[in-house]
Amino acid sequence: MKITIGAVTRGGTSRAYKTGNWRDRRPVIDAEKCKGCDICREVCPDSSVYVQAGVYTINYDFCKGCGLCAHECPAGCIRMIPEEK
């Protein structure tokens, strides 16, 4: 007998569900101010911050706009702006 708890029926399915449309604010990174400390990537609960070609980028498909990255950034290079719907 297969037991299912909640809405998850098999492992690894979260990548198929884009959850970024929940947010009302989104983080924007000022690449010129960024010191590359990696704190934003470490604190992101959704693993939405990543580094591509040495530049920190946000995957808005999964970012829920919690603002942890902006709050913890010691360089102050991430700001939260209202989401455009």
Side-chain angles (χ1 to χ4, degrees), residues 4-63:
T4 302
I5 299 173
V8 178
T9 58
R10 57 191 162 90
T13 60
S14 64
R15 290 182 186 216
Y17 300 103
K18 296 181 179 177
T19 55
N21 61 355
W22 297 358
R23 69 178 173 268
D24 62 349
R25 300 176 310 138
R26 66 183 161 105
V28 176
I29 300 173
D30 182 340
E32 291 185 20
K33 287 184 181 178
C34 180
K35 305 294 184 203
C37 68
D38 211 37
I39 291 173
C40 56
R41 192 182 61 77
E42 292 176 7
V43 300
C44 180
D46 299 310
S47 299
S48 296
V49 181
Y50 62 98
V51 184
Q52 186 173 17
V55 177
Y56 282 78
T57 307
I58 298 175
N59 183 338
Y60 293 117
D61 285 341
F62 298 101
C63 171

